[in-house]
Amino acid sequence: GFSLQESTTKLGLYFMTTVILFFSYLLCRYIVQSKLGRVLIAIRDAESRVMFSGYNTNHYKLFIWTFSAVLCGIAGALYVPQVGIINPSEMEPSNSIEMAIWVAVGGRGTLIGALLGAGLVNGAKSWFTVAAPDYWLYFLGALFIVVTLYIPKGIVGALITVNKKDTQGNEK
């Protein structure tokens, strides 16, 4: 019953999205740091070893797949009112590739890396689509290549590596 054109409605949606993002992050962090998270990391790294240890990996994979689907559903429910419309072009493979680039830029294997990468890439997208819309996809491709070659762990992974070196007494 609220008008999506009113600034108070938009502000409410942004606030609700921020709160849900915060709680989703906390829930994901809890899962990653729990026994369940350790089992999921072990499945990612060596599934056959986990199976030989007596775990049924299908149950864990089904749970995490379902959990991610729930998060995607919530994200979609928040996305549509903010943009006002959804159309089939939102389901293009380029959108999935863009999400993979978010994680690559921010740092795979970290929760905060995905958030950082999403913010940086979407900020660049907002700027490029205004300043030079024809070059956005070229920039995105170049960004992915540069990150893959020079910062394979992403920004957060590079920062963690630098901090580990600093705490061990090595020079930069």
Side-chain angles (χ1 to χ4, degrees):
F2 297 100
S3 172
L4 295 177
Q5 304 305 323
E6 290 183 28
S7 60
T8 55
T9 304
K10 289 181 182 182
L11 184 63
L13 285 170
Y14 292 140
F15 178 72
M16 186 179 4
T17 301
T18 303
V19 168
I20 290 174
L21 174 65
F22 177 73
F23 284 115
S24 297
Y25 174 80
L26 290 179
L27 181 60
C28 290
R29 188 168 167 85
Y30 174 76
I31 289 173
V32 167
Q33 292 179 342
S34 68
K35 180 182 175 186
L36 170 64
R38 289 192 299 273
V39 172
L40 290 169
I41 291 170
I43 290 171
R44 179 196 67 196
D45 293 343
E47 184 174 354
S48 60
R49 286 185 181 183
V50 176
M51 289 170 51
F52 291 134
S53 297
Y55 288 95
N56 185 348
T57 59
N58 289 333
H59 293 145
Y60 289 93
K61 292 190 301 185
L62 179 62
F63 168 78
I64 206 64
W65 184 84
T66 305
F67 179 71
S68 68
V70 168
L71 289 178
C72 288
I74 293 169
L78 292 169
Y79 176 77
V80 174
Q82 291 188 27
V83 296
I85 190 171
I86 187 122
N87 56 44
S89 68
E90 297 293 334
M91 306 303 163
E92 290 179 350
S94 62
N95 290 338
S96 296
I97 292 167
E98 192 174 313
M99 289 179 211
I101 294 172
W102 296 350
V103 175
V105 168
R108 64 184 188 91
T110 64
L111 294 173
I112 199 71
L115 292 175
L116 177 67
L120 291 173
V121 173
N122 281 318
K125 182 178 185 178
S126 294
W127 182 82
F128 260 96
T129 53
V130 171
D134 295 337
Y135 297 107
W136 163 243
L137 289 178
Y138 294 114
F139 172 78
L140 191 62
L143 177 66
F144 184 65
I145 291 169
V146 166
V147 166
T148 303
L149 292 176
Y150 299 110
I151 317 171
K153 294 181 181 179
I155 294 170
V156 172
L159 292 174
I160 290 171
T161 303
V162 168
N163 286 338
K164 282 183 182 177
K165 287 182 182 177
D166 289 345
T167 58
Q168 293 174 356
N170 298 336
E171 293 184 23
K172 290 184 180 180

